[in-house]
Amino acid sequence: MGKVKIVATIGPTSEKTEVLKELIKYVDGIRINFSHGNTEEWKSRILNARELRSDIAVLGDLRGPGVRTGSMKPLTLNTGDSVEFRLAEEAVGNFVPIPNPSFFRVITIDDIIVMNDGRLRLRVDRVSGNNAVLTALTAGIIAQEKAVVIKGKDYPLPILDDYDREVLKFAVEVGMDYLGVSHVRSSDDIEEVRTELRRLGGDWIKLVAKIEGPDAVRNMKDVVCSSDYVMVARGDLGMHFDLEEIPRIQTAIIKEAQKCGRPVMVATQLLESMIEQPVPTRAEVVDITNAVTEGVDSLLLTGETAVGKYPVEAVQWLRRVASEYEDEVHVERDVMANITDRLALGIVQLAEDIGAKIVIYSRGGRFVEAISRYRPRVPTYVGVSDERIMRRLRLYWGVEPILIGNIREYDEGERETLNQLIRSGLIAKGDLVLLTHGVIDTYNDYSIRILRV
């Protein structure tokens, strides 16, 4: 596997046994989109993936707060057409039903409404109570249960509704590793989801802050530093901001994540053309290369693997391009205040200076996360005794986690990790190894050993 980690969304195309069996060879994690499907489908996809690879990381994506159209027949609009939006659960007549009154409280005249992943845009011409008249700026179709985005505005809705609370219960029951918090606006949203997970007994699940709206961008540092992982959710960003602004926002998010010591992934339209074509465009290859050299931990495919015609080819191409440029990453190695990060940076620099492979035994994974943050240019392996920690670390840049038996002492963990790596051929005779372990609370007996195998 490469240093940059690959995550693929599992959907109708990729859930087929023969496809999943091949696809999973090239990825480090899978994503389940909770906005579509049901618990039976989600559970089947997770169990099938883990049966094929027990070390695979599983990311669930919450639907999050938002406004969607109610029950209606598809409505086709041409550019310039006028259409009425009305507060209603169901359309009885030629209008678009909006079941949520928040929409009418937030919109103002000349607001731009964006739908269908940005392909349909409408302008608000008139607002009167629970009724609005809009003009289509582009042609398109409005169907039921479709997200209604107000460009540049977030809805003042609770981060968790009844639907997402049920999803959290499911995530805990199946033992998911990560949860993406959609439409996050501040650290309060992250803490609310974290509190609910603790209540459900799922405090091991790590939270991915999806930065996709104007509030999250304005509160970037607050959101990033309060999360466990960060996602540059370019799909929704592209509906709130002008397209030419997205590269600048992406770079800002990546840099902020690196400053806070948080891993970061880039998602959406990495290989959009491969939904229909077996080979990516040159522009897509350049886009991936830019993300990789900026130092992202992982790359996430969405529609390409969920509904695309070439899901296996998509992950193969993503792996191929990322592997070509992942050694050209140059991140700022700022020293953070705590001893864990200072020690991690020292170990990375020492290993690189002497050309040693890094071998760590870790109980909780925190020290390994710090090592990954400094993007070591040498192979880095970590032995853990907990499957959950192993799967979590699977999405950290440059880290190759392996599962070893239950260990009582750190020295024993180091020896068993090294021996298992030798048995597997990942470390060979003559290799120089820097052997260490996670930071112990007292720091009294911390050691670093350098040895020639």
Side-chain angles (χ1 to χ4, degrees):
M1 306 303 274
K3 294 176 181 176
V4 176
K5 306 308 172 113
I6 307 297
V7 183
T9 302
I10 304 301
T13 299
S14 49
E15 69 181 355
K16 299 170 186 175
T17 303
E18 64 277 9
V19 177
L20 184 61
K21 189 174 182 180
E22 187 65 20
L23 177 146
I24 213 161
K25 296 177 183 177
Y26 301 96
V27 302
D28 303 277
I30 62 167
R31 169 180 174 261
I32 305 297
N33 186 356
F34 290 136
S35 295
H36 306 289
N38 54 57
T39 54
E40 295 293 326
E41 294 173 350
W42 303 333
K43 189 172 184 178
S44 174
R45 290 166 183 171
I46 294 168
L47 294 180
N48 289 341
R50 283 185 172 164
E51 186 176 342
L52 291 167
R53 268 190 58 192
S54 61
D55 68 337
I56 201 81
V58 179
L59 162 66
D61 212 331
L62 297 176
R63 187 175 69 176
V67 171
R68 294 166 182 80
T69 55
S71 178
M72 63 178 291
K73 294 180 180 179
L75 181 63
T76 301
L77 297 175
N78 293 313
T79 303
D81 285 353
S82 183
V83 61
E84 180 186 0
F85 280 41
R86 189 184 300 175
L87 180 64
E89 296 283 342
E90 182 179 357
V92 183
N94 197 30
F95 65 89
V96 177
I98 304 293
N100 196 318
S102 293
F103 174 77
F104 300 96
R105 294 174 189 153
V106 174
I107 60 170
T108 56
I109 292 174
D110 289 332
D111 273 348
I112 302 299
I113 306 304
V114 187
M115 302 180 69
N116 298 347
D117 292 329
R119 290 185 287 273
L120 176 61
R121 291 177 175 246
L122 307 103
R123 183 187 63 241
V124 178
D125 291 333
R126 189 167 69 249
V127 183
S128 177
N130 295 326
N131 182 282
V133 176
L134 294 82
T135 298
L137 302 180
T138 58
I141 298 173
I142 300 178
Q144 65 181 18
E145 281 296 310
K146 293 298 181 181
V148 182
V149 175
I150 307 172
K151 184 178 179 182
K153 294 183 179 180
D154 282 308
Y155 292 107
L157 297 170
I159 193 66
L160 292 173
D161 58 13
D162 292 340
Y163 180 92
D164 276 345
R165 288 183 188 278
E166 289 301 313
V167 167
L168 287 183
K169 293 178 185 177
F170 170 81
V172 173
E173 288 170 5
V174 297
M176 302 198 81
D177 306 298
Y178 290 95
L179 276 172
V181 185
S182 297
H183 306 295
V184 62
R185 294 153 299 199
S186 70
S187 59
D188 291 340
D189 290 337
I190 297 292
E191 190 52 40
E192 184 174 338
V193 178
R194 190 170 276 132
T195 299
E196 182 66 9
L197 281 174
R198 289 195 200 103
R199 190 185 70 80
L200 295 169
D203 55 353
W204 75 85
I205 299 176
K206 298 301 178 181
L207 297 183
V208 181
K210 295 177 62 182
I211 298 186
E212 52 194 340
D215 285 346
V217 171
R218 279 191 290 268
N219 302 324
M220 190 182 298
K221 182 177 180 179
D222 176 57
V223 170
V224 168
C225 295
S226 66
S227 66
D228 302 304
Y229 213 115
V230 182
M231 182 191 298
V232 184
R234 303 191 302 185
D236 280 281
L237 280 172
M239 293 200 284
H240 282 290
F241 298 92
D242 292 332
L243 293 180
E244 63 270 21
E245 296 181 78
I246 304 303
R248 187 181 299 114
I249 294 171
Q250 174 174 309
T251 298
I253 296 170
I254 293 170
K255 287 184 176 179
E256 194 62 60
Q258 291 166 350
K259 286 180 185 177
C260 283
R262 300 295 185 268
V264 57
M265 70 171 62
V266 168
T268 317
Q269 294 184 333
L270 289 166
L271 292 169
E272 184 81 357
S273 70
M274 292 194 71
I275 291 177
E276 297 291 339
Q277 303 295 330
V279 178
T281 66
R282 293 171 180 82
E284 287 168 339
V285 171
V286 172
D287 179 37
I288 294 167
T289 301
N290 288 338
V292 170
T293 54
E294 281 189 296
V296 299
D297 289 74
S298 58
L299 298 165
L300 169 62
L301 293 174
T302 53
E304 300 95 329
T305 55
V307 296
K309 295 179 181 178
Y310 304 95
V312 175
E313 290 85 349
V315 293
Q316 288 174 330
W317 267 104
L318 190 56
R319 174 69 68 193
R320 176 178 170 180
V321 176
S323 297
E324 182 72 19
Y325 292 94
E326 62 190 7
D327 287 327
E328 297 182 20
V329 174
H330 298 286
V331 299
E332 293 295 327
R333 288 180 168 177
D334 298 327
V335 179
M336 298 185 75
N338 63 71
I339 191 170
T340 300
D341 288 285
R342 289 175 179 273
L343 184 58
L345 178 56
I347 286 174
V348 169
Q349 291 175 330
L350 175 59
E352 291 176 347
D353 286 345
I354 64 176
K357 295 180 178 180
I358 300 174
V359 176
I360 308 166
Y361 169 69
S362 179
R363 287 182 176 169
R366 171 66 187 92
F367 189 54
V368 181
E369 295 167 7
I371 291 282
S372 172
R373 175 178 182 264
Y374 294 112
R375 302 297 189 257
R377 300 185 184 94
V378 295
T380 303
Y381 306 102
V382 54
V384 295
S385 301
D386 188 325
E387 281 192 67
R388 289 173 179 169
I389 295 173
M390 176 188 66
R391 292 196 298 263
R392 188 180 88 217
L393 294 176
R394 178 62 63 192
L395 297 190
Y396 281 77
W397 192 98
V399 172
E400 187 67 27
I402 62 170
L403 189 66
I404 61 175
N406 289 324
I407 302 296
R408 292 185 179 181
E409 301 294 334
Y410 278 93
D411 287 348
E412 182 187 356
E414 290 178 13
R415 286 195 302 271
E416 181 54 34
T417 301
L418 180 59
N419 288 336
Q420 192 159 316
L421 289 167
I422 292 171
R423 288 193 295 268
S424 66
L426 291 172
I427 288 181
K429 184 178 179 180
D431 282 348
L432 194 61
V433 173
L434 190 156
L435 191 62
T436 188
H437 53 71
V439 178
I440 303 173
D441 291 339
T442 62
Y443 309 116
N444 291 332
D445 57 354
Y446 190 82
S447 65
I448 299 171
R449 285 184 285 170
I450 299 171
L451 56 91
R452 181 80 65 182
V453 176

